[in-house]
Amino acid sequence: MTGAAATGATAGAALRGVRGEVIWLHAPGVPLSRPLRLLHARHRVYIVPRPDERIVIGASEIESEDRSPVSLRSAVELMAAAHSVLPALAEARILHLETNLRPALPDNAPRLDVEPGRVVINGLFRHGWLLAPALVEQALQHTTLSS
């Protein structure tokens, strides 16, 4: 399965799936109150605090639509990068590993298409949680103008 079919999009969309992997940890006593992001030429990682002393680490970006379990290489690289940023994670316990596909357009930028009776937002790729509120606001402006 490739492209639009793998990401659940319509056949006309130029979407591709980009594999992302995350690791969920239980990390009691790790003082993290906001997300951290390491952007290094070789190692990229984000570390996000979640409720109940849980932490999510991730950042893998693999040009593949493979949904198989997380690879050893990705797990080791993500955990090593996270540990280098936040050494207190050394005693965290691995809860589970996840993999999924991010919808991406050829330019990796999101797209908002508005037609009468239809609004389509797609291709949020890595930026969904940051850009979704602004894109929804734009979509609402378009729908209010056309009413």
Side-chain angles (χ1 to χ4, degrees):
M1 191 179 327
T2 60
T7 55
T10 60
L15 284 175
R16 71 186 194 287
V18 179
R19 179 181 169 97
E21 301 159 323
V22 297
I23 301 169
W24 284 80
L25 304 175
H26 182 239
V30 174
L32 186 63
S33 59
R34 62 189 169 92
L36 296 177
R37 179 97 164 116
L38 169 66
L39 296 173
H40 180 274
R42 184 161 183 245
H43 301 288
R44 295 170 183 242
V45 68
Y46 59 80
I47 309 167
V48 182
R50 306 306 283 167
D52 301 323
E53 299 181 317
R54 294 173 185 232
I55 289 179
V56 175
I57 61 175
S60 61
E61 186 178 304
I62 302 164
E63 286 291 335
S64 170
E65 293 185 351
D66 173 18
R67 291 182 191 239
S68 66
V70 176
S71 70
L72 177 67
R73 177 191 316 210
S74 290
V76 168
E77 287 178 359
L78 286 172
M79 288 186 279
H83 179 253
S84 73
V85 172
L86 195 59
L89 289 175
E91 294 303 317
R93 299 299 185 242
I94 300 168
L95 296 174
H96 65 274
L97 296 90
E98 297 176 7
T99 185
N100 214 327
L101 300 179
R102 296 181 182 103
L105 291 162
D107 62 0
N108 291 334
R111 188 169 67 212
L112 169 65
D113 295 316
V114 180
E115 303 169 10
R118 183 176 165 184
V119 175
V120 177
I121 299 173
N122 218 328
L124 290 170
F125 188 45
R126 298 193 60 86
H127 318 293
W129 67 284
L130 291 171
L131 297 180
L135 286 168
V136 168
E137 188 173 299
Q138 287 178 16
L140 289 172
Q141 289 174 357
H142 283 288
T143 57
T144 311
L145 294 174
S146 62
S147 304

